[in-house]
Every structure is written in structure tokens, then in C-alpha cells.
Amino acid sequence: MSTTKTIFSGFGGQGVLMMGYVLATSAMHENKHVTYLPAYGAEVRGGTANCTITISDDPIASPVASFPDYGVLMNTPSLTKFEGSIRAGGLVFLNDDLVDVRPSRTDIEVVNIPVNTIADGLGSLRSANMVMIGAFVKKTGLVALETVINSVKDIFAAKGADIHERNTAAIREGAAFIEKPIHG
Amino acid sequence: MNKQLMRGSHVIAEAATRAGCRFYAGYPITPQNELPEYMSARFADLPDATFIQAESELAAINMVMGASMTGVRAMTSSSSPGISLKQEGISYMAGMELPAVVANIMRGGPGLGNIAPTQQDYFQATRGGGHGGYRTIVLAPCSGQELVTLTMKAFDLADTYRMPVILLGDGLMGQMMEPVSFPDPIDPADLPKKEWVLSGARGRDSRLIASLQLDPVKMEERNWKLVRKYDTISQHETDFESYLLDDAQLVIVAFGTAARIAKGAVNRVRGEGLPAGLFRPITLWPFPANPLRSLAASIKQILVFEMNTGQMIEDVKMSVGDISPVHFHGRPGGVIPTPVEVAEVITGLMR
Amino acid sequence: MAQQVFKRPESLKDNVFHYCPGCGHSIIHRLLAEVIDELGIREKTVGVPPAGCAVLAYNYLDVDMGEAPHGRAIAVATGIKRCRPDLVVFTYQGDGDLAAIGTAETVHAANRGECLTVIFVNNGVYGMTGGQMAPTTLPGQKTTTTPGGRMALRDGHPLDLSRMLALAAGSVYIERTAVTSPKHIIKTKKAIRKAFKVQMDGQGFALVEILSACPTNWKETPIEACKRVEQVVATQYPLGILKDATHEPTADNP
């Protein structure tokens, strides 16, 4: 791997920035070079959120993505906004429960994941972002799944063991979906 | 060394604390609010430190001025419109030869502008910014780790030369997270003693710290004295980064965030076999004019890339004169250009 | 053998005041120096002079002093005092400095209860710049920028900032005095002394507003100007204690 750029996007409350933070933290723990670049300010306060994560084996030149390799798009406006900029041959992860249109491009691979449904099935809709990061990491191999689980444990250390178990279950469930997608 | 993933604004605050800064006053303004927020929490655990959320930028810089008079390492931070308000105090501190560190996390302008990252305060920062004709050292970090080193260096330079030092970042630098590591904290008690501070006239004559000098002849002397200090700084403190310059035919000159993007662009065109390189001024004042001038003799052209409409380009042109053609690419207003966009400009010039 | 009954305070330098005849600044400087001597704090006092006629106060007061931009004295003093709480820090400001350009700094320092002593000299004009209207200028008063007299509806009403500051929760002691007669001068000295004591006891924000004459810009003789202070200015700005929330320090409440 040389340098990989991922954009996470959705609306406020979906834990979009947290997904990016988890990925960036995991990359750091694997001694990779990493930048986490959030869109900030009025844009965020207006209800949408996105962040760009660059991971590399070498020092990172630009934290800005011209054409992200991966897009993790949690709602329809995010797809509208970022579909055009994904690198040809890139990969888009869609929240199947909330994205009601499909990319028109044919030169990108699309992974549809019903993260809300899966999270709801685990008893916590709020874990949808953890389901997604689990699926994302399983599919891309950017970092190891266990690194992600450990990072999340650190990040939420103050919230207690229950939360950690819930997050771990969600991450594993997301990864399991990639291994064996359940359509429907 | 243990690394932490930290936001740029937090990095500045932590580095300042570790540099022995024990006074911070500021006023909220996006995109640097995380800096005072971090300071308020960090200083709460340090019995010898003071955090004040001031009633205005004016009050904040003047509180820093007072703190500096006592010899304490002091800082404030803001973003562009707030920095304009602080210029009064910065000018006074330049006149009184008081150290302080002022972080400007630049946003769009003029006026209220917006909160997106820009480099539109280059002129203001490098030309003094306030009235009276003075200089401030201006440091332009471009990464999380450099925020650590340059923030700490800013305090050393401020004390060494007794003047305000500007740390010039932008909204992207302030918000971006990168893994960073910190050196051990400096105990303020271990810093060199300052012999000029206001501490009460015990066992010595009373002291005065003032910029007022009604006698024009003496005022002229003081102005030339400041110039001599600035000349010394220009000789000893210029700093820059060279990237792939050995065989470069086109050199892109950029600082801060723009330099990160430019580096990405250089990597791209190198991949296409085009010999481009990057010259990144780290001190914007003093500007690394001599190294750039030397470089200009061995290359074909220069491209200045800034997130403004063209400010540093004036320093570049003054540095290289007619030795090399100087082109410009700029994106003001908070537009974050991509490496591909800049690579296309380079390619257009080289082909 | 002759006994010395009057001498220059140690905190006052042996310089001839540059102030105009009848100006209150020289009296107030001397009172400050006497109080600093009597409290034994010369070696731990830091003063912040204003922009204005008293900008050169450091030519007279023999204590450490640090300049402030016009209006910002209290902010500068705040920085000094917060870093060195063991020092005794005072500002010396005129009405334009404190009640116009420095209003925000003044109000908020009082509200935070900054442990400072503020000497506020109110003479109703901008003296140093040539006698322009001040926020404290009286209705009808002629100045170089109100040649026909101050009209409240056009030029604003006289501003009584001390009364506003008395409302601030962090202010502890605010008194208005004058330096127009021996009786008033003695009262002023007492008030200045108390304003320093309040700070030294760590109680909070203390301010003494001193009504002072500016015969030069009022275009009056010193005697006329002093009379005007007592008979006219003091009706707009009544003398006396505006706030006294001080307490005797006890073990529980120092």
C-alpha cells in the first residue's frame, strides 16, 4: 500500500467523524502515517459532516483528497456530493437503509450495507457507524479488524465495558456482513 | 516516543504549555475555538497558570501584554478578524520589546469573510500588521509535528529577541489531526531569568516598560535599534524546507497547508517524469530570500502557490528578481485546492 | 533644632510636574505616592499609566510602571496581577480612557472582580488632545468638538460609569471624591488608601473616581475651575461612596 484516501460523509449524529477518527487512530496504532481532516464549522453545524482520512506507509504530502479511493456515504446527499470525485476503480460503501439512489457511475465498485438494520438488530441503532467501520475495514484491509476493536476500546474507555461490548459486536457484525452478505 | 492523534489547535495549546507558557487570554472565534478550550482545561491543573476568556480580542492581547511585563511566557490566539483587533497590542509590544506568541488560524476575508482555511493574512503577518513600522517573526507550520516544534520555538524566539512571534496557520491546520509526539515539558523556573521585568522596585531603581518616546531624535534611535535587531534575526533565523530540488526545473514555492498540497502535486508530476520540486518557507518573516535566490539560478521557472490572490509572491519576486520567471496559482476564499489541480498547473507550465 | 514636618514622599521622584496650574493630576500623584509610602508597598507596586495628560506619570511616581494602549490599562493590569498576585497593581486613567475607549475592559474587569486599584480622574474633557468632548462632559458644556455646548440628544448624555461599575457583582469598593479643597483632598487620600487596602486584602475590584479641574481646557482660572467642580460637576456626579462591599478580613473570610 502506498497512500490511500477515504472520505466519510453523512449527517450529524450518524457518527461520521467518529468513524474517521477510529480509522485514523487504528492506522496510527499500526505505525502508519495518517491525517484526519474534518470539514468543520458552519458546514457541520448545518447538519452534514464529512472527513478525509489519508493513510500511508510514507510521510503524507497532501491531507486533501483530489480523488478519494474510498467513499463511506451514510446518506443520499453524501452520495450526490461525492460520487463524482471517487477515483475510477474506487470503492463506495453505502448505507443501504438511507441511501435511496444508486451511483450512476459504472467505474466504481459499490458495497451496499444495511447498517441501520444490522445495528437495530443488535439492539442499538446508534452503533450503525461501528457496523460500517467493521464492514469497511474487512473489505479494504486498510487496518486489522482487531486494531479497530482495540482502538474503539481506548476511545470509549470512559464509557464502560457495556459500551465496549456493544461496539465490538457491531464491528464484528459489519465485518461478518462482508464475508456473507445478507440481502433483503 | 508515544504518539497521540491530535487536532492542530490542541497541539498548539499542548506545545505552548510544554514550552512553559503560563498565561493565555483569548476570545472565541472559529476556526480556532478548540485552542482556548484546551487551554482552559489544561491550565486548570497547573497552579501557576492563568487562563482568561477575555471580553474582546483587544482585552486579550493587552492582558498578554501585562503578563509578558512580569516575565511570564504568555500567548493568545485568534483567527483573521480577531487578529486585526489584536494589532494595536502587537504594535505596542513590538515598541516595548515584549515577548509573546500570537497564533493566527487564518480564515477567509476581507471583513467577516468565512471560516474556511485561507492564507489571506500573509501581508498582515509579515509586514508587522499594525502601525508604526515593525516586524514580527512569522512561523508557518505545515504538519502536526511541526506545530509542536514551531510553537515551542516561537516562545524561545520571542524571549530571545523580546518581540511578538506570530504562528501562522489556517483553519485546515487547526482542525486536522495527525499523530504527534511531545518533548518533556519545560519547567518555567528553568527558563533564563529576564532582567527587565516589572516585579516591584525592591533593591533597585524603579523600572519602566513603555513605547512612548516624545523626543524624535531618541525615537529615531529606537527605530534604528529595532532595525538592527531585525537584521540580526534575518541573518540567523530564516528557515525553509527543500523537497526534490536537486534536479528540479520548476520549483513551486508554497507555505503551510498550500505546501502540503503542493508536495502532493510535485509527487504526482514526478510520477509523470516531470522534474518539479518544492521550496517551502518555514519562516515567512524573515523570508528565506537568499536561498531562494541561489536556487533560482539553477532552475527554469518558479510557481508560487498560495491560498490567497497573491501575497508571498511579492517576497518571491523581490528575492529572485529577473533571474527566473515567477508564475502564480492562487485559490482565495477558503477553497481547498486539490493536488491534482496544482499538478495540472505545473504540467501546463512544464510542457 | 528645626523639626521636619513635610517632605517629598519616597515614592515621588524629584521632578517638577509638567501639569498646568490648577490641574488635579499633581495633587493626585502626590496622594498616591503618600499612600504607597504609608502602606509600605513601594517595592511591590506596579502602576499602569494612561494615554492622556498623565501618560508621563512614570516621570513622577517612583515605582515600576508599564504602559498600556489608550483604554486598555485595566486589561494590562489584569495580566500583571494574575501573573504576580503578590504585587500591588494600580491603573491611573482619565475619563476618556476609562469611560469611552476602555469601557469594555473596565466593566468586565469589575465584573470579574479583578483585584486591582483603579484611580479614575474625571475632568470632563480630553485634556491632552486639546479639550474635546469626553463621555463625562456636562450638558451644555462647550468643548472643541461641542462648540455650541454638549446637546444630550446629539452628543449623548454624561456617562456615570462609576455607578454602572457599582452594579457589577465583582466590584467591592467605589467612591467618588474631589481634589478641589483641603477637605476633599484629605477624603481623596483616605479613599485611595482604602482602594489599595481592598486589593491588598484580596477582596476585589476597587475604584476611586476623582473629580478634577482642567482650567486650561475649561478656559477658567484655577479657582473658578475648582468652584465649578464643587458647585456644578458634583451635582451631576455626586461625591460619596457608591459601593462598599468590603468586609473586615477574618480567618474564614480573608
Coordinates of all heavy atoms in Angstrom, one line a residue, chain B residues 4 9 20 34 41-42 45 54 67 70 153 158 164 166 170 175 180 185 196 202 216 228 270 280 284 291 319 323 329:
Chain B
Q4 N 0.3 10.6 19.8 CA -1.2 10.8 20.0 C -1.8 11.4 18.8 O -1.1 12.3 18.1 CB -1.4 11.8 21.2 CG -0.7 11.5 22.5 CD -0.8 12.7 23.4 OE1 -1.9 13.2 23.7 NE2 0.3 13.1 24.0
S9 N -5.2 22.6 16.7 CA -5.4 23.6 17.7 C -5.0 23.1 19.1 O -4.4 23.8 19.9 CB -6.9 24.0 17.7 OG -7.2 24.8 16.6
G20 N 6.4 26.1 28.5 CA 6.4 26.9 29.8 C 5.4 28.1 29.7 O 5.5 28.9 30.6
E34 N -11.0 25.5 19.6 CA -10.5 24.3 20.3 C -9.3 24.7 21.1 O -8.9 24.0 22.0 CB -10.3 23.1 19.3 CG -11.6 22.6 18.7 CD -12.0 23.4 17.5 OE1 -11.4 24.4 17.1 OE2 -13.1 23.1 16.9
A41 N -8.8 23.9 30.0 CA -8.8 22.6 30.8 C -7.4 22.3 31.3 O -7.1 21.9 32.4 CB -9.3 21.5 29.9
R42 N -6.4 22.6 30.4 CA -5.0 22.2 30.7 C -4.5 23.1 31.8 O -3.8 22.6 32.7 CB -4.2 22.5 29.4 CG -2.7 22.0 29.5 CD -2.6 20.5 29.6 NE -1.3 20.0 29.3 CZ -0.3 19.9 30.3 NH1 -0.6 20.3 31.5 NH2 0.9 19.5 30.0
D45 N -5.3 22.6 35.7 CA -4.5 21.6 36.5 C -3.1 22.2 36.9 O -2.3 21.5 37.6 CB -4.2 20.3 35.7 CG -5.5 19.6 35.4 OD1 -6.5 19.8 36.2 OD2 -5.6 18.9 34.4
A54 N -11.3 36.5 27.7 CA -11.4 38.0 27.7 C -12.7 38.4 27.1 O -13.4 37.7 26.4 CB -10.2 38.6 27.0
A67 N 0.9 40.4 31.2 CA 1.5 39.1 31.7 C 3.0 39.1 31.3 O 3.9 38.8 32.0 CB 0.8 37.9 31.1
T70 N 5.6 40.8 33.3 CA 6.0 40.2 34.5 C 7.0 39.1 34.2 O 7.6 38.4 35.1 CB 4.9 39.6 35.3 OG1 4.4 38.4 34.6 CG2 3.8 40.5 35.5
K153 N 9.3 26.6 19.6 CA 10.4 27.5 19.1 C 9.9 29.0 19.2 O 10.7 29.9 19.4 CB 10.8 27.2 17.7 CG 12.0 27.9 17.1 CD 12.3 27.5 15.7 CE 13.5 28.3 15.2 NZ 13.9 27.9 13.8
A158 N 10.6 34.5 20.8 CA 10.0 35.7 21.4 C 10.9 36.2 22.6 O 11.1 37.4 22.7 CB 8.6 35.4 21.9
P164 N 7.0 40.0 19.7 CA 5.9 39.1 19.4 C 6.3 38.2 18.3 O 6.9 38.6 17.3 CB 4.7 40.0 19.0 CG 5.1 41.4 19.5 CD 6.6 41.4 19.5
I166 N 4.5 35.5 15.6 CA 3.3 35.0 15.0 C 3.4 33.6 14.5 O 4.3 33.2 13.8 CB 2.8 35.9 13.8 CG1 2.9 37.4 14.1 CG2 1.4 35.5 13.3 CD1 1.9 37.9 15.1
D170 N -3.8 27.9 9.4 CA -5.1 28.2 8.8 C -6.1 27.2 9.4 O -5.7 26.3 10.1 CB -5.0 28.1 7.3 CG -4.6 26.7 6.8 OD1 -5.3 25.8 7.1 OD2 -3.5 26.6 6.2
Q175 N -7.7 22.3 12.4 CA -8.7 21.3 12.6 C -8.1 19.9 12.3 O -8.7 18.9 12.8 CB -9.9 21.5 11.6 CG -10.6 22.8 11.9 CD -11.4 22.7 13.2 OE1 -11.8 21.7 13.7 NE2 -11.6 23.9 13.8
V180 N 1.1 13.0 16.8 CA 2.2 13.8 17.2 C 2.9 13.3 18.5 O 2.2 12.6 19.2 CB 1.8 15.3 17.4 CG1 1.4 15.9 16.2 CG2 0.7 15.4 18.5
P185 N 7.9 18.5 29.2 CA 7.6 19.9 29.4 C 8.8 20.6 30.1 O 9.6 20.0 30.8 CB 6.4 19.8 30.5 CG 6.0 18.4 30.5 CD 7.1 17.5 30.0
W196 N 14.5 42.4 32.8 CA 13.8 43.7 32.5 C 12.4 43.7 33.0 O 11.7 44.7 32.8 CB 13.8 43.9 31.0 CG 13.4 42.6 30.3 CD1 14.3 41.7 29.8 CD2 12.1 42.1 30.0 NE1 13.6 40.6 29.2 CE2 12.2 40.9 29.3 CE3 10.8 42.7 30.2 CZ2 11.1 40.2 28.9 CZ3 9.7 41.9 29.8 CH2 9.9 40.7 29.1
R202 N 12.3 46.5 44.3 CA 12.9 46.1 45.5 C 14.5 46.0 45.3 O 14.9 45.3 44.5 CB 12.4 44.8 46.0 CG 12.9 44.4 47.4 CD 12.5 43.0 47.7 NE 11.1 42.8 47.6 CZ 10.2 43.0 48.6 NH1 10.7 43.4 49.8 NH2 8.9 42.9 48.5
P216 N 11.9 63.1 19.2 CA 12.0 62.5 17.9 C 13.4 61.9 17.6 O 13.5 60.9 17.0 CB 11.7 63.6 16.9 CG 10.9 64.6 17.6 CD 11.4 64.5 19.0
R228 N 18.2 47.1 13.7 CA 19.4 46.2 13.9 C 19.0 44.9 14.4 O 19.6 43.8 14.0 CB 20.4 47.0 14.8 CG 21.1 48.1 14.1 CD 22.2 48.6 15.0 NE 21.8 49.2 16.3 CZ 21.4 50.5 16.4 NH1 21.4 51.3 15.4 NH2 21.1 50.9 17.6
R270 N 6.0 14.2 -10.7 CA 7.2 13.4 -10.7 C 6.9 12.0 -11.2 O 7.7 11.4 -11.9 CB 7.8 13.2 -9.3 CG 8.6 14.5 -8.8 CD 10.0 14.4 -9.1 NE 10.7 15.6 -8.9 CZ 12.0 15.8 -9.2 NH1 12.7 14.8 -9.7 NH2 12.6 17.0 -9.0
R280 N 9.7 25.4 0.5 CA 8.7 25.8 1.5 C 9.3 26.7 2.6 O 10.1 26.2 3.4 CB 8.1 24.5 2.2 CG 7.1 24.9 3.3 CD 6.5 23.6 3.8 NE 7.3 22.8 4.6 CZ 7.5 22.9 6.0 NH1 6.8 23.8 6.6 NH2 8.3 22.1 6.6
L284 N 8.2 33.0 7.5 CA 7.7 33.9 6.4 C 8.3 35.3 6.6 O 8.6 36.0 5.6 CB 6.2 33.9 6.5 CG 5.5 32.6 6.3 CD1 4.0 32.8 6.3 CD2 6.0 31.9 5.0
P291 N 18.5 31.9 0.0 CA 18.5 30.5 -0.5 C 17.6 30.4 -1.8 O 17.9 29.7 -2.7 CB 17.9 29.7 0.6 CG 17.7 30.5 1.8 CD 18.2 31.9 1.5
S319 N 13.0 38.4 -4.0 CA 14.1 37.5 -3.8 C 14.9 37.2 -5.1 O 16.1 37.2 -5.1 CB 13.7 36.2 -3.1 OG 13.0 36.5 -1.9
I323 N 16.0 36.8 -12.3 CA 16.8 35.5 -12.5 C 15.9 34.4 -13.1 O 16.3 33.6 -13.9 CB 17.4 35.0 -11.2 CG1 18.4 36.1 -10.7 CG2 18.2 33.7 -11.4 CD1 19.0 35.8 -9.3
H329 N -0.3 30.6 -8.9 CA -1.6 30.0 -8.9 C -2.2 30.2 -7.5 O -1.5 29.9 -6.5 CB -1.5 28.5 -9.1 CG -2.8 27.8 -9.1 ND1 -3.8 28.0 -10.1 CD2 -3.3 26.8 -8.3 CE1 -4.8 27.3 -9.8 NE2 -4.6 26.5 -8.7

